[in-house]
């Protein structure tokens, strides 16, 4: 299963390069199957979720060849209508196969997706979108079945700006007949990256990055070459690690406009930041000012950095409040952090964090970002921290122990 051993309280120094964004790579890999010809994708992170999605795609008949950070995909005839149920349960993003198969073959069947256990994770908005495009949807014993004689564009209002639903509707609408308008669409950079790739493939998509996306369906897409954007959550995690350990780290391959809320909050905490065109330098300070955080859809503060930020707030000079509005069950790291000495009280969707002395302990990663928070806590704690169930962390962070070790962290991975 593997675990991390961390000996804390070493300031991090040096440069670290951020990998391609997992949450852009997954829908873009799935979207490559919409084309009639091959695509080449660059800067794909080497992660378990990516490997699982590639296996699902191969089992559907596509040729998927990986060489380091490059993946070549030939969708071939893709005449299958079903995605591997066992693998689909392992990653949330497997639901993108539904949009792709529905679009290309007018029928898609798979198990309800898995992923991190951070809330109810319904897909009602995805299914509402498919129905609006003319699909019939049924759910039976955890299997979703979506079919349509033909897909026709429509106006779809999302009750919540869901990232996954926005992407899935875009995937399905790209090859539908006529015009689709998604209102209250999500605006995350990963959606813009997907739209850029689809546009190079020939799709007609306008308004991405705003809350109204307009898609004029077209008949066929050609494969294309595309480089995945840098992972803003990985970047943010390293930035927080530098501030937390009183370090001085240049985080390379960052689009700083994607992490404005984190930059703003770190500045409010009086962390020293220098931004340039390709990265951000983060210097820790002796005294961190307290701030409050409220997670929101983009461009608000990202929920995927909430747990990491909470660790930093344990080292601030007063009480801070964290309000989680995106996911209903995203404080699972708190019990583990408490075992390390964190003084945190949860009240519904809010957590009150008081200045705390962190000490090493044996803790368990309960999900991807919760696991990242435990690594950060281990870096700040006195003595040794042992983190188990690190497969959660490896679903979303490429070589995190190697990257942190290159910055001077005393972290070891034990297989
Ligand atoms: C994506 C990210 C995840 C991130 C999240 C929010 C991927 C693979 N994962 O997840 O890391 O935390 O965005 O930034 O990109 N909801 C519904 N009905 C739906 C869909 C969602 O009620 O049909 C609700 C969810 O329960 C949740 C909220 O909407 O409370 C946000 O979910 P969504 O934006 O869809 O997140 P994901 O795309 O699953």
């Amino acid at each position: 299963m593997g675990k991390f051993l961390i000996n804390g309280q070493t300031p991090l120094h040096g440069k670290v390069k951020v990998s391609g964004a997992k949450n852009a790579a997954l829908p873009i890999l799935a979207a490559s199957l919409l084309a009639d010809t091959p695509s080449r994708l660059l800067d794909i992170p080497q992660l378990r979720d990516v490997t699982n999605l590639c296996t699902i795609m191969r089992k559907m008949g596509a040729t998927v060849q990986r060489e380091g950070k490059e993946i070549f995909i030939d969708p071939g005839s893709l005449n299958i209508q079903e995605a591997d149920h066992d693998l689909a349960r392992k990653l949330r993003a497997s639901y993108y196969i539904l949009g792709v198969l529905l679009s290309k073959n007018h029928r898609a069947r798979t198990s309800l997706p898995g992923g991190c256990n951070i809330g109810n994770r319904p897909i009602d908005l995805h299914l509402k979108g498919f129905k609006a495009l003319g699909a019939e949807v049924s759910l039976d014993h955890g299997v979703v079945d979506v079919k349509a004689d033909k897909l026709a564009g429509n106006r779809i209002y999302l009750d919540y700006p869901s990232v996954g639903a926005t992407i899935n509707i875009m995937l399905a609408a790209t090859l539908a007949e006529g015009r689709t308008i998604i209102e209250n669409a999500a605006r995350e950079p990963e959606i813009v990256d997907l739209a850029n790739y689809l546009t190079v493939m020939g799709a007609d998509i306008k308004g991405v990055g705003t809350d109204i996306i307009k898609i004029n369906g077209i008949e066929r897409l050609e494969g294309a070459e595309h480089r995945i954007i840098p992972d803003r959550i990985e970047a943010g995690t390293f930035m927080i690690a530098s501030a937390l350990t009183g370090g001085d780290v240049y985080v390379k391959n960052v689009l700083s406009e994607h992490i404005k809320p984190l930059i703003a909050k770190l500045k409010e905490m009086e962390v020293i930041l220098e931004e340039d065109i390709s990265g951000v330098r983060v210097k820790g300070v002796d005294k961190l000012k307290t701030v409050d955080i409220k997670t929101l859809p983009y461009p608000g503060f990202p929920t995927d950095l909430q747990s990491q930020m909470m660790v930093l707030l344990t080292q601030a000079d007063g009480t801070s409040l964290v309000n989680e509005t995106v996911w209903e069950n995203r404080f699972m790291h708190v019990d583990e952090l408490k075992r390390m000495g964190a003084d945190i009280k949860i009240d519904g969707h809010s957590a009150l964090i008081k200045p705390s002395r962190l000490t090493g302990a044996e803790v368990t990663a309960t999900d991807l970002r919760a696991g990242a928070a435990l690594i950060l806590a281990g870096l700040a704690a006195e003595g040794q921290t042992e983190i188990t169930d690190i497969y959660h962390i490896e679903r979303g962070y490429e070589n995190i122990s190697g990257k942190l070790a290159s910055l001077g962290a005393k972290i070891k991975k034990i297989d």
Side-chain angles (χ1 to χ4, degrees):
M1 293 279 265
K3 56 188 173 185
F4 287 136
L5 289 183
I6 303 170
N7 279 289
Q9 300 203 319
T10 306
L12 302 186
H13 285 281
K15 284 184 189 168
V16 65
K17 188 173 175 210
V18 171
S19 301
K22 163 178 95 73
N23 290 348
L26 295 170
I28 287 173
L29 271 165
S32 71
L33 299 179
L34 288 174
D36 293 336
T37 52
S39 283
R40 184 174 298 282
L41 302 176
L42 313 173
D43 271 355
I44 298 276
Q46 283 166 308
L47 298 170
R48 193 168 305 216
D49 273 7
V50 169
T51 311
N52 282 336
L53 183 60
C54 289
T55 310
I56 291 176
M57 288 164 56
R58 279 191 200 103
K59 288 193 166 192
M60 287 163 56
T63 302
V64 183
Q65 287 162 350
R66 171 153 215 161
E67 232 176 80
K69 293 185 185 300
E70 274 186 42
I71 295 193
F72 167 88
I73 308 112
D74 185 346
S77 58
L78 199 80
N79 51 14
I80 203 157
Q81 298 174 326
E82 192 140 350
D84 186 286
H85 291 218
D86 289 338
L87 281 170
R89 276 197 294 271
K90 288 193 178 150
L91 78 152
R92 178 81 179 153
S94 60
Y95 52 38
Y96 295 138
I97 295 296
L98 285 174
V100 166
L101 284 181
L102 178 63
S103 185
K104 218 171 173 191
N105 295 344
H106 291 179
R107 172 103 193 244
R109 260 171 68 83
T110 192
S111 275
L112 280 173
C116 281
N117 181 22
I118 52 180
N120 203 1
R121 307 204 86 164
I123 60 164
D124 54 311
L125 297 173
H126 304 230
L127 302 182
K128 173 181 170 178
F130 295 154
K131 281 184 198 157
L133 296 176
E136 239 179 74
V137 175
S138 63
L139 269 173
D140 191 22
H141 291 91
V143 174
V144 200
D145 193 339
V146 195
K147 53 186 166 197
D149 291 335
K150 68 166 192 163
L151 292 177
N154 204 344
R155 188 178 279 266
I156 299 159
Y157 173 81
L158 295 180
D159 303 277
Y160 186 92
S162 152
V163 176
T166 303
I167 290 179
N168 237 339
I169 296 168
M170 270 170 65
L171 293 172
T174 296
L175 294 175
E177 258 180 54
R179 172 177 260 215
T180 297
I181 299 179
I182 311 175
E183 293 172 330
N184 199 26
R187 292 183 279 170
E188 270 67 2
E190 293 76 20
I191 297 172
V192 179
D193 201 29
L194 168 67
N196 287 341
Y197 170 57
L198 287 170
T199 304
V200 183
M201 291 163 92
D204 179 358
I205 305 175
K206 301 276 178 323
V208 273
T210 77
D211 58 357
I212 299 188
I213 299 179
K214 295 179 181 160
I215 304 155
N216 286 314
I218 50 154
E219 272 177 25
R220 64 190 296 271
L221 292 169
E222 294 289 346
E225 183 169 301
H226 181 78
R227 185 176 296 279
I228 306 295
I229 52 168
D231 194 310
R232 62 195 165 101
I233 306 302
E234 187 196 2
T237 305
F238 284 118
M239 288 165 65
I240 293 172
S242 181
L244 180 70
T245 59
D248 182 355
V249 174
Y250 181 68
V251 188
K252 276 193 298 188
N253 195 29
V254 177
L255 294 172
S256 56
E257 69 267 24
H258 290 171
I259 41 166
K260 284 289 175 220
L262 176 66
I263 289 177
K265 286 294 164 184
L266 290 178
K267 281 187 177 161
E268 278 178 44
M269 294 182 84
E270 299 193 341
V271 174
I272 301 163
L273 295 175
E274 290 166 21
E275 294 167 54
D276 65 32
I277 187 156
S278 51
V280 186
R281 181 174 176 190
V282 183
K283 283 200 252 181
V285 286
D286 288 342
K287 210 168 175 197
L288 291 163
K289 283 242 172 295
T290 155
V291 293
D292 293 339
I293 303 286
K294 182 176 189 169
T295 67
L296 286 168
Y298 190 85
F301 192 91
T303 171
D304 287 355
L305 283 174
Q306 176 258 104
S307 58
Q308 302 90 316
M309 195 63 182
M310 196 181 277
V311 177
L312 186 62
L313 292 174
T314 65
Q315 305 305 303
D317 66 357
T319 304
S320 331
L321 185 71
V322 168
N323 187 226
E324 171 62 53
T325 77
V326 178
W327 294 109
E328 67 198 17
N329 186 20
R330 213 170 200 183
F331 286 140
M332 298 215 305
H333 47 285
V334 169
D335 278 344
E336 300 302 293
L337 290 177
K338 280 184 179 169
R339 289 155 59 76
M340 298 180 69
D343 184 350
I344 304 174
K345 282 197 183 62
I346 298 178
D347 182 10
H349 289 283
S350 299
L352 206 63
I353 300 120
K354 292 201 171 147
S356 324
R357 181 176 147 254
L358 298 178
T359 51
E362 282 181 26
V363 287
T364 304
T366 50
D367 69 62
L368 167 54
R369 307 302 171 188
L374 295 179
I375 293 185
L376 293 177
L379 294 176
E382 268 174 54
Q384 181 163 291
T385 298
E386 182 177 320
I387 306 175
T388 53
D389 287 2
I390 62 170
Y391 61 90
H392 285 296
I393 304 172
E394 294 183 330
R395 278 191 37 233
Y397 287 91
E398 185 176 60
N399 186 23
I400 190 163
S401 54
K403 287 187 182 183
L404 285 169
S406 76
L407 297 172
K410 298 200 177 86
I411 178 167
K412 255 198 313 206
K413 182 177 164 190
I414 317 266
D415 279 319

